[in-house]
Amino acid sequence: MRKTVLALTLCSAAVMADPAFIATQHGNLKIDTVATDLAHPWGISVLPDGQLLVTERDGRLRYIDKSGKVSAPISGLPEIVVAGQGGLLDVLLDKDFASNQLIYLSYAEPGADNTNSTAVAKARLDGQSLKDFKVIFSQTPKFDSKYHFGGRLVQQADGNLFVTTGDRGSQREAVQNLTTLIGKVAHITPDGNAAPGNPFAQDKTAQPLIWSYGHRNIQGATLDKTGRLWTHEHGPQGGDEINITVAGKNYGWPIITYGEEYGGGVIGVTKKPGLEQPLHYWVPSIAPSGMLFYQGAMFSKWQHNLLVGSLKFGQLVRLEIKDDKVVHEERIRIGARIRDVEVAPDGAIYLLTDEDKGAVLRLTSAG
């Protein structure tokens, strides 16, 4: 699918005070700072009691209560490589968390000789500790790299998981190789086996965990109302893209891209038969991270809009979708690097700002 020329609206106000108020096309936002002084917060989930569970990239998992109090680090995490873009990444509650207290975590897992890769584990959250910690996914092969871990986690209604990965920054040739888990979306059961129906499960020359391939660095993933997987990924210099990510499809990296080498230089071509065109792409890059379809009571005119965080421009990007095409884009300037987006049961929106002293922000309607 090809990109459509869009009317783009940029709201230029930024967070300058607490609370801050920002005008958008569909009403005003109130932005409150819930918690501060977090070390590069990366993933957020809302617990049934209204508390937040937040990861810090430097290897800490914490509660944040309704008053904004940040807990001591939760114990029971494994050894984590904290370097460059690596560290403790996403956190996801199991769909049956209320009865089983299971959570899933993605992180940079150490290997031999200074190598590392993306891993996913599940554990039972028991107060201030994790119990029954079990690694259920480990990206192979491992490399000595600080870049492109991917790491977003999504759970389907049947309990199976999607795990996003990246090309590790220097392993472009491995992305198109189906014997590796480099630059792939993996589809696994909660125990880490290949999920039923995986497209390469019967191919003895391919990794059975693979769902899709040809990805550079996926840091946003979500399901639409029909259960389809949508992802976005970082392009190089330009060429960030959104895809409906279908089993067995090849999304082209590094053969096709709308980006270029850092500092200039051609990478491949923009299209080629057999390789998927992005549903939407950005040039210049917005550095997207975190993504979900809004389904909440608070912002009625945002229903089923796609919300994407922007690291580079410090924005929340709102995309209106019609017939699987982006028909309108609004950029709401927050004023800090947005790493993740989450929605509370009341429809309020939580944002994580990825800074040395990052914050949790809460967006509500201001009329």
Side-chain angles (χ1 to χ4, degrees):
M1 286 172 280
R2 300 183 63 183
K3 178 177 180 265
T4 304
V5 176
L6 304 174
L8 183 148
T9 299
L10 174 63
C11 295
S12 60
V15 176
M16 300 299 291
D18 190 11
F21 296 89
I22 294 178
T24 77
Q25 291 180 329
H26 295 305
N28 298 326
L29 296 179
K30 178 186 177 187
I31 304 182
D32 290 287
T33 301
V34 176
T36 59
D37 294 333
L38 298 168
H40 295 281
W42 211 97
I44 180 172
S45 285
V46 182
L47 293 162
D49 64 2
Q51 289 192 99
L52 306 177
L53 200 58
V54 175
T55 63
E56 293 175 287
R57 200 178 67 210
D58 66 354
R60 291 189 286 264
L61 176 67
R62 299 182 188 269
Y63 296 106
I64 300 175
D65 70 16
K66 294 179 181 179
S67 70
K69 181 181 178 182
V70 179
S71 77
I74 296 169
S75 65
L77 289 169
E79 182 182 356
I80 296 172
V81 175
V82 180
Q85 297 170 359
L88 182 59
L89 305 175
D90 210 3
V91 58
L92 175 71
L93 305 186
D94 185 81
K95 67 183 187 66
D96 297 321
F97 176 85
S99 60
N100 63 20
Q101 286 74 58
L102 287 179
I103 66 170
Y104 302 93
L105 295 163
S106 61
Y107 60 99
E109 178 186 55
D113 301 320
N114 294 317
T115 63
N116 56 73
S117 69
T118 304
V120 178
K122 68 177 181 179
R124 181 168 54 86
L125 186 62
D126 183 11
Q128 280 296 129
S129 63
L130 297 176
K131 303 290 181 62
D132 307 322
F133 193 93
K134 179 185 177 183
V135 177
I136 60 172
F137 173 84
S138 184
Q139 183 189 33
T140 56
K142 285 178 161 55
F143 295 98
D144 182 359
S145 172
K146 301 184 294 184
Y147 304 107
H148 298 188
F149 290 87
R152 285 296 172 199
L153 304 175
V154 176
Q155 188 174 40
Q156 297 174 288
D158 62 7
N160 293 325
L161 300 163
F162 291 111
V163 181
T164 76
T165 73
D167 69 359
R168 306 308 323 283
S170 61
Q171 303 301 318
R172 293 179 182 178
E173 70 283 353
V175 173
Q176 293 291 322
N177 184 343
L178 294 179
T179 68
T180 81
L181 291 170
I182 306 300
K184 312 299 193 296
V185 172
H187 188 213
I188 62 175
T189 68
D191 290 323
N193 298 314
N198 276 6
F200 303 107
Q202 306 305 316
D203 185 344
K204 294 183 179 180
T205 65
Q207 283 276 359
L209 304 184
I210 293 173
W211 174 261
S212 61
Y213 64 110
H215 302 290
R216 183 173 182 268
N217 188 22
I218 298 177
Q219 292 189 347
T222 191
L223 302 179
D224 66 16
K225 60 184 178 181
T226 68
R228 296 181 302 173
L229 177 67
W230 291 55
T231 63
H232 68 54
E233 59 188 273
H234 290 266
Q237 187 167 273
D240 302 336
E241 58 186 58
I242 292 177
N243 293 291
I244 300 175
T245 310
V246 178
K249 297 292 187 179
N250 183 349
Y251 291 83
W253 177 256
I255 301 168
I256 61 171
T257 178
Y258 285 88
E260 62 180 16
E261 298 285 9
Y262 294 106
V266 174
I267 306 172
V269 295
T270 57
K271 60 190 69 175
K272 188 173 182 179
L275 304 181
E276 300 301 305
Q277 281 289 296
L279 180 145
H280 185 69
Y281 65 90
W282 287 279
V283 177
S285 170
I286 68 166
S289 189
M291 176 171 70
L292 55 74
F293 281 96
Y294 184 80
Q295 298 179 65
M298 189 169 293
F299 300 99
S300 60
K301 293 184 178 180
W302 287 13
Q303 290 300 311
H304 307 298
N305 288 183
L306 197 58
L307 303 181
V308 179
S310 166
L311 295 163
K312 182 176 179 181
F313 294 122
Q315 299 167 340
L316 178 65
V317 180
R318 183 181 65 85
L319 301 174
E320 296 176 14
I321 311 294
K322 183 177 181 180
D323 299 328
D324 292 342
K325 296 178 181 178
V326 176
V327 295
H328 183 72
E329 176 174 343
E330 179 183 15
R331 298 190 184 184
I332 302 165
R333 178 159 171 75
I334 306 300
R337 290 165 51 85
I338 305 303
R339 175 60 73 180
D340 201 9
V341 185
E342 185 60 279
V343 174
D346 66 357
I349 297 167
Y350 286 108
L351 304 178
L352 293 184
T353 70
D354 185 358
E355 313 281 351
D356 290 335
K357 293 186 176 182
V360 179
L361 307 178
R362 188 171 187 263
L363 277 58
T364 54
S365 174

